Amino acid sequence: GYVLTGGTAKMEGVVEFAEEVFQVPVRVAKPQSVSGLKEYVNDPTYATVVGLLHYGMPVSEDVNSEARTNFGVRSLGKRVLAWFKGEF
């Protein structure tokens, strides 16, 4: 099947339309393995960004995956919040 990400994936009827077009199961993605700022990024809008952060984090035996996730997402969250505060 297909996995939809981004803000458009939250639009009403998008999943049904995609299933009709592609003739396969379709689901909406949500970020996984996120802690710390979960209430801010647990949304399909951020699924791609969180996935890219996971993908881009260096793999090290000294650092467990939870610590890497917290650092990446928390850092991103702080930068996004600072940008919003600066813009609005």
Side-chain angles (χ1 to χ4, degrees):
Y2 288 100
V3 179
L4 302 177
T5 65
T8 307
K10 298 188 315 182
M11 289 175 50
E12 187 175 324
V14 144
V15 172
E16 293 80 11
F17 179 71
E19 286 177 338
E20 184 178 320
V21 169
F22 297 119
Q23 297 296 308
V24 294
V26 175
R27 71 177 180 89
V28 175
K30 284 191 176 181
Q32 297 177 348
S33 303
V34 176
S35 59
L37 294 172
K38 195 171 196 169
E39 62 276 2
Y40 293 108
V41 296
N42 193 21
D43 188 89
T45 305
Y46 302 108
T48 302
V49 172
V50 171
L52 288 171
L53 284 172
H54 281 293
Y55 181 78
M57 296 294 290
V59 178
S60 171
E61 292 181 21
D62 298 331
V63 181
N64 66 31
S65 62
E66 184 177 341
R68 287 187 286 118
T69 301
N70 287 340
F71 175 76
V73 172
R74 189 166 288 143
S75 174
L76 172 68
K78 286 180 182 178
R79 288 186 303 199
V80 169
L81 288 175
W83 178 80
F84 272 112
K85 287 179 182 178
E87 291 293 319
F88 303 104

